[in-house]
Short mmCIF file of all heavy atoms in Angstrom, two decimals:
data_model
loop_
_atom_site.label_atom_id
_atom_site.label_comp_id
_atom_site.label_asym_id
_atom_site.label_seq_id
_atom_site.Cartn_x
_atom_site.Cartn_y
_atom_site.Cartn_z
N LEU F 4 62.85 36.10 30.11
CA LEU F 4 63.31 36.98 29.21
C LEU F 4 64.52 37.86 29.75
O LEU F 4 64.61 38.24 30.86
CB LEU F 4 62.26 37.94 28.75
CG LEU F 4 61.15 37.48 27.86
CD1 LEU F 4 60.08 38.46 27.73
CD2 LEU F 4 61.62 36.90 26.55
N PRO F 5 65.55 38.26 28.87
CA PRO F 5 66.48 39.13 29.38
C PRO F 5 65.97 40.50 29.69
O PRO F 5 64.94 40.83 29.20
CB PRO F 5 67.46 39.26 28.11
CG PRO F 5 67.05 38.29 27.07
CD PRO F 5 65.72 37.69 27.56
N ASP F 6 66.67 41.17 30.63
CA ASP F 6 66.06 42.44 31.12
C ASP F 6 65.64 43.36 29.97
O ASP F 6 64.56 44.07 30.12
CB ASP F 6 67.13 43.16 31.94
CG ASP F 6 67.31 42.61 33.34
OD1 ASP F 6 66.32 41.77 33.72
OD2 ASP F 6 68.26 42.87 34.04
N GLU F 7 66.39 43.51 28.86
CA GLU F 7 66.07 44.43 27.86
C GLU F 7 64.86 44.06 27.14
O GLU F 7 64.20 44.92 26.37
CB GLU F 7 67.45 44.70 26.93
CG GLU F 7 67.73 43.48 26.19
CD GLU F 7 68.82 42.59 26.95
OE1 GLU F 7 69.06 42.86 28.06
OE2 GLU F 7 69.20 41.56 26.39
N GLU F 8 64.46 42.72 27.22
CA GLU F 8 63.31 42.36 26.48
C GLU F 8 62.00 42.18 27.39
O GLU F 8 60.93 42.01 26.88
CB GLU F 8 63.53 40.96 25.89
CG GLU F 8 64.59 41.05 24.76
CD GLU F 8 64.74 39.68 24.15
OE1 GLU F 8 63.77 38.84 24.08
OE2 GLU F 8 65.86 39.36 23.71
N ARG F 9 62.18 42.36 28.70
CA ARG F 9 61.11 42.21 29.55
C ARG F 9 60.37 43.53 29.62
O ARG F 9 60.96 44.66 29.47
CB ARG F 9 61.64 42.05 31.08
CG ARG F 9 61.89 40.57 31.34
CD ARG F 9 61.97 40.33 32.80
NE ARG F 9 62.44 41.37 33.60
CZ ARG F 9 63.42 41.19 34.40
NH1 ARG F 9 64.01 40.17 34.65
NH2 ARG F 9 63.79 42.36 35.13
N PRO F 10 58.99 43.51 29.77
CA PRO F 10 58.22 44.70 29.84
C PRO F 10 58.64 45.35 31.18
O PRO F 10 58.84 44.68 32.19
CB PRO F 10 56.76 44.18 29.90
CG PRO F 10 56.84 42.83 30.27
CD PRO F 10 58.15 42.28 29.85
N ALA F 11 58.51 46.77 31.08
CA ALA F 11 58.84 47.50 32.42
C ALA F 11 57.79 47.31 33.45
O ALA F 11 58.11 47.41 34.63
CB ALA F 11 59.02 48.97 31.96
N PHE F 12 56.54 46.98 32.93
CA PHE F 12 55.46 46.97 33.88
C PHE F 12 54.70 45.65 33.63
O PHE F 12 54.58 45.34 32.43
CB PHE F 12 54.45 48.04 33.71
CG PHE F 12 55.12 49.45 33.80
CD1 PHE F 12 55.33 50.19 32.68
CD2 PHE F 12 55.48 49.97 35.04
CE1 PHE F 12 55.97 51.39 32.77
CE2 PHE F 12 56.06 51.20 35.04
CZ PHE F 12 56.25 51.96 34.04
N ASN F 13 54.41 44.88 34.67
CA ASN F 13 53.69 43.60 34.45
C ASN F 13 52.22 43.73 34.61
O ASN F 13 51.53 42.84 34.16
CB ASN F 13 54.27 42.62 35.50
CG ASN F 13 55.66 42.20 35.30
OD1 ASN F 13 56.14 41.94 34.21
ND2 ASN F 13 56.44 42.05 36.37
N GLU F 14 51.82 44.82 35.27
CA GLU F 14 50.35 44.95 35.56
C GLU F 14 50.00 46.52 35.37
O GLU F 14 50.83 47.35 35.57
CB GLU F 14 49.95 44.49 36.87
CG GLU F 14 50.22 43.02 37.14
CD GLU F 14 49.83 42.54 38.46
OE1 GLU F 14 48.74 43.01 38.96
OE2 GLU F 14 50.50 41.68 38.99
N SER F 15 48.80 46.74 34.97
CA SER F 15 48.35 48.13 34.74
C SER F 15 48.51 49.02 35.96
O SER F 15 48.81 50.17 35.88
CB SER F 15 47.00 48.11 34.18
OG SER F 15 45.97 47.63 35.14
N TRP F 16 48.19 48.51 37.18
CA TRP F 16 48.32 49.31 38.34
C TRP F 16 49.76 49.75 38.58
O TRP F 16 49.98 50.90 39.13
CB TRP F 16 47.88 48.66 39.52
CG TRP F 16 48.79 47.52 40.19
CD1 TRP F 16 48.69 46.23 39.83
CD2 TRP F 16 49.91 47.80 41.02
NE1 TRP F 16 49.78 45.58 40.51
CE2 TRP F 16 50.50 46.49 41.36
CE3 TRP F 16 50.39 48.79 41.77
CZ2 TRP F 16 51.45 46.22 42.18
CZ3 TRP F 16 51.46 48.66 42.63
CH2 TRP F 16 51.98 47.43 42.77
N GLN F 17 50.79 49.10 38.14
CA GLN F 17 52.14 49.53 38.18
C GLN F 17 52.40 50.76 37.43
O GLN F 17 53.07 51.77 37.84
CB GLN F 17 53.07 48.38 37.87
CG GLN F 17 52.96 47.17 38.75
CD GLN F 17 53.71 45.90 38.33
OE1 GLN F 17 54.08 45.80 37.03
NE2 GLN F 17 54.02 45.04 39.11
N VAL F 18 51.83 50.77 36.12
CA VAL F 18 52.02 51.92 35.25
C VAL F 18 51.37 53.00 35.92
O VAL F 18 51.94 54.20 35.89
CB VAL F 18 51.33 51.60 33.87
CG1 VAL F 18 51.39 52.91 32.97
CG2 VAL F 18 51.90 50.49 33.31
N GLN F 19 50.12 52.87 36.46
CA GLN F 19 49.42 53.98 37.03
C GLN F 19 50.17 54.59 38.23
O GLN F 19 50.13 55.75 38.50
CB GLN F 19 48.00 53.51 37.43
CG GLN F 19 47.19 53.16 36.11
CD GLN F 19 45.90 52.44 36.52
OE1 GLN F 19 45.71 51.99 37.66
NE2 GLN F 19 45.04 52.32 35.52
N ALA F 20 50.76 53.60 39.16
CA ALA F 20 51.48 54.13 40.41
C ALA F 20 52.64 54.91 39.94
O ALA F 20 52.81 56.04 40.38
CB ALA F 20 51.71 53.00 41.18
N TYR F 21 53.32 54.44 38.94
CA TYR F 21 54.60 55.19 38.44
C TYR F 21 54.17 56.50 37.80
O TYR F 21 54.73 57.55 38.08
CB TYR F 21 55.31 54.30 37.46
CG TYR F 21 56.51 54.96 36.93
CD1 TYR F 21 57.68 54.88 37.65
CD2 TYR F 21 56.52 55.58 35.64
CE1 TYR F 21 58.80 55.62 37.12
CE2 TYR F 21 57.64 56.28 35.17
CZ TYR F 21 58.76 56.23 35.93
OH TYR F 21 59.85 56.87 35.46
N ALA F 22 53.17 56.48 36.95
CA ALA F 22 52.65 57.76 36.44
C ALA F 22 52.25 58.73 37.44
O ALA F 22 52.43 60.05 37.33
CB ALA F 22 51.59 57.41 35.39
N LEU F 23 51.52 58.30 38.49
CA LEU F 23 51.08 59.31 39.50
C LEU F 23 52.18 59.95 40.18
O LEU F 23 52.22 61.13 40.38
CB LEU F 23 50.09 58.41 40.57
CG LEU F 23 49.61 59.21 41.65
CD1 LEU F 23 48.82 60.43 41.12
CD2 LEU F 23 48.83 58.32 42.64
N VAL F 24 53.24 59.18 40.49
CA VAL F 24 54.37 59.81 41.06
C VAL F 24 55.05 60.84 40.10
O VAL F 24 55.26 61.89 40.64
CB VAL F 24 55.41 58.65 41.46
CG1 VAL F 24 56.86 59.33 41.86
CG2 VAL F 24 55.00 57.82 42.55
N GLN F 25 55.10 60.49 38.80
CA GLN F 25 55.68 61.50 37.88
C GLN F 25 54.86 62.72 37.88
O GLN F 25 55.40 63.86 37.74
CB GLN F 25 55.83 60.79 36.51
CG GLN F 25 56.80 59.62 36.57
CD GLN F 25 58.15 60.00 37.11
OE1 GLN F 25 58.75 60.96 36.67
NE2 GLN F 25 58.59 59.30 38.06
N VAL F 26 53.49 62.58 37.83
CA VAL F 26 52.68 63.78 37.73
C VAL F 26 52.78 64.62 39.07
O VAL F 26 52.87 65.75 38.93
CB VAL F 26 51.14 63.41 37.58
CG1 VAL F 26 50.24 64.48 37.80
CG2 VAL F 26 50.98 62.80 36.11
N LEU F 27 52.85 63.90 40.11
CA LEU F 27 53.08 64.61 41.42
C LEU F 27 54.29 65.45 41.47
O LEU F 27 54.39 66.59 41.91
CB LEU F 27 52.93 63.77 42.61
CG LEU F 27 51.61 63.17 42.83
CD1 LEU F 27 51.58 62.08 44.02
CD2 LEU F 27 50.51 64.24 43.18
#
Side-chain angles (χ1 to χ4, degrees):
L4 293 172
D6 285 344
E7 63 274 1
E8 293 180 31
R9 277 198 329 234
F12 307 103
N13 293 322
E14 299 181 40
S15 62
W16 75 267
Q17 296 171 343
V18 176
Q19 294 167 348
Y21 180 81
L23 180 56
V24 169
Q25 296 308 306
V26 168
L27 291 170

